[in-house]
Amino acid sequence: MSEKQNTLEFSIPSSRDQLVEKTIEEIKKHTYLDPLFDAAFKAFLSDEEALVNFLNGVFHLNEDNKIESVVIKNSEINIIFPSAKQFRLDIRAKTSKGICINIEMQKARPDYFVDRILLQQSAFMLQSKYEWDKLNFGDLPSCLTKEERAEREIHRYEVPPTYAIWICDFSIGKQKSFRGDWAVRNKKGLTLTDKMMYILYDLTKFNKPYKKITTTEDRWLYLLKYAGKAENLPDFNNSIIAKAINRILVNRASEKLIREQANDMVWTEEELDHLALLEVRAEKKGLKQGLEQGRVEMALAMLADNEPIGKIVKYSHLPESKILELKASLMGDAIK
């Protein structure tokens, strides 16, 4: 190994803690926290006023039937899965009309993505059913009357409406538009139940320019997509949106929030598993050139997300000189 290579390796952060510190430095160079990562996403939307406004936009509700209030609930659920990542939801809420809603921000596409949605929705429905039963029947005495037993039997398998909203920063192949509304239907298109709904947003297909943003739904999607790279965000003359934007201003964010954001931006165990999978697949093909191309593509994607140079070197396994070359190329393309 050459002296130059030794110097390069020495400059790479050797622990996750060091990567977090480097990421904090990078975050503080920006105007806004990027809501495509969990910490900022929750700061942006985990507010009752903002969440009500967002959901009314998502469901296209007018003044006559709009959601008036929501209760933001603990994101953890009781269902246990044998995975490296603790199973929890991003934002879990219940509306004033009893609708249970799970909102997920998904930055990277995992294998079996649809299976993951179904698995999470199943767990979410079970948790919602558990809480619904506890609320309605949890305080019943041990010695029940005939009427109380009959009432409990009627509702034994009743579940509350559970809707899932997934905001994805990657292409959803089966969707031609930025929004897809999915449900359980038969081959003729007849919906089995209205109590389960999946709304999937593909931010890569949301390309409306600022001047064409007209709906509440559009406003929130526009902000989610561009906040991480923007120097100035529009509040659309909406006080609720203005408050949400203020919550992700870097110079107003607490050190705790910034550190949580940095931890989200440094690769998690789940993301490291995904990275290992990509490398194993490339290696199995026996194509060194293919592996190198995969690393370049990874580096370009991380540069586009304004990841720290040290972090890109660590996970792409490319030399720093190559990363800087790619960065210069990207900047040149942007100028053109």
Side-chain angles (χ1 to χ4, degrees):
M1 183 178 290
S2 69
E3 184 179 8
K4 184 177 180 181
Q5 287 175 313
N6 272 314
T7 304
L8 174 61
E9 289 201 3
F10 181 78
S11 68
I12 300 173
S14 58
S15 72
R16 194 174 194 282
D17 289 341
Q18 287 177 297
L19 279 172
V20 168
E21 295 304 321
K22 289 284 186 183
T23 305
I24 288 173
E25 292 176 15
E26 293 295 324
I27 288 173
K28 290 184 176 180
K29 296 176 184 178
H30 293 264
T31 305
Y32 303 100
L33 297 172
D34 189 347
L36 299 182
F37 292 92
D38 284 356
F41 178 68
K42 292 172 185 175
F44 193 52
L45 275 179
S46 281
D47 168 85
E48 182 179 355
E49 195 177 39
L51 196 52
V52 166
N53 190 272
F54 172 78
L55 291 174
N56 282 323
V58 168
F59 296 124
H60 303 162
L61 301 177
N62 56 36
E63 289 297 321
D64 295 333
N65 63 347
K66 70 178 183 179
I67 297 168
E68 298 289 347
S69 64
V70 295
V71 175
I72 298 174
K73 305 175 76 67
N74 190 311
S75 62
E76 294 183 7
I77 63 175
N78 294 326
I79 311 302
I80 299 173
F81 291 91
S83 61
K85 181 180 179 182
Q86 185 177 0
F87 194 81
R88 64 176 65 192
L89 311 180
D90 284 347
I91 298 177
R92 184 165 72 99
K94 184 178 179 180
T95 73
S96 52
K97 297 183 178 181
I99 300 172
C100 300
I101 298 174
N102 169 34
I103 307 171
E104 294 293 314
M105 179 67 242
Q106 188 69 25
K107 186 155 180 64
R109 180 188 177 97
D111 279 18
Y112 299 103
F113 174 58
V114 174
D115 288 28
R116 175 175 175 171
I117 292 176
L118 295 173
L119 178 65
Q120 190 152 313
Q121 177 69 4
S122 299
F124 176 48
M125 179 173 280
L126 286 171
Q127 180 71 22
S128 299
K129 168 63 174 171
Y130 167 80
E131 293 175 357
W132 190 89
D133 281 353
K134 190 173 181 181
L135 177 66
N136 289 282
F137 303 110
D139 294 329
L140 287 177
S142 56
C143 184
L144 302 179
T145 66
K146 181 170 62 177
E147 289 74 19
E148 287 170 335
R149 286 187 178 278
E151 184 69 16
R152 186 169 65 179
E153 179 60 23
I154 289 171
H155 299 286
R156 184 172 300 279
Y157 298 109
E158 182 181 6
V159 295
T162 52
Y163 298 164
I165 301 168
W166 287 73
I167 304 166
C168 304
D169 189 32
F170 53 81
S171 179
I172 300 173
K174 293 185 178 181
Q175 281 190 194
K176 294 183 179 179
S177 177
F178 68 86
R179 173 178 172 140
D181 293 70
W182 303 83
V184 180
R185 299 185 176 94
N186 69 5
K187 291 183 178 180
K188 294 183 178 180
L190 180 65
T191 302
L192 181 65
T193 176
D194 291 326
K195 288 190 171 183
M196 292 179 66
M197 182 189 299
Y198 306 85
I199 298 174
L200 274 56
Y201 286 112
D202 179 345
L203 290 182
T204 68
K205 295 185 178 76
F206 181 80
N207 297 309
K208 292 187 180 182
Y210 170 71
K211 291 182 179 180
K212 291 189 177 181
I213 300 297
T214 57
T215 68
T216 300
E217 178 183 41
D218 288 348
R219 290 168 191 151
W220 287 106
L221 293 177
Y222 181 90
L223 295 171
L224 284 166
K225 179 166 183 173
Y226 297 112
K229 299 176 183 178
E231 294 184 3
N232 186 36
L233 287 174
D235 61 17
F236 302 100
N237 295 316
N238 183 298
S239 61
I240 296 172
I241 288 178
K243 291 176 187 175
I245 290 172
N246 282 336
R247 287 195 295 273
I248 58 170
L249 275 169
V250 171
N251 61 10
R252 293 191 181 184
S254 66
E255 287 296 323
K256 180 176 181 290
L257 176 56
I258 290 175
R259 184 165 292 277
E260 287 174 352
Q261 178 80 345
N263 269 293
D264 288 339
M265 293 173 73
V266 172
W267 293 78
T268 64
E269 284 297 311
E270 184 176 343
E271 290 166 330
L272 288 172
D273 289 349
H274 184 64
L275 174 62
L277 175 62
L278 294 177
E279 291 194 8
V280 167
R281 283 176 174 170
E283 288 166 358
K284 281 184 177 179
K285 290 179 181 178
L287 298 174
K288 184 177 179 182
Q289 185 178 358
L291 179 57
E292 181 74 10
Q293 182 60 31
R295 289 171 174 171
V296 168
E297 289 174 2
M298 177 188 295
L300 287 170
M302 294 176 76
L303 283 167
D305 286 338
N306 296 311
E307 300 284 9
I309 297 297
K311 179 180 174 183
I312 301 173
V313 170
K314 181 176 176 66
Y315 292 109
S316 70
H317 301 291
L318 293 173
E320 185 173 3
S321 58
K322 180 64 176 179
I323 304 298
L324 294 174
E325 178 186 324
L326 293 171
K327 184 176 182 180
S329 175
L330 278 177
M331 292 176 67
D333 290 342
I335 292 171
K336 292 174 184 177

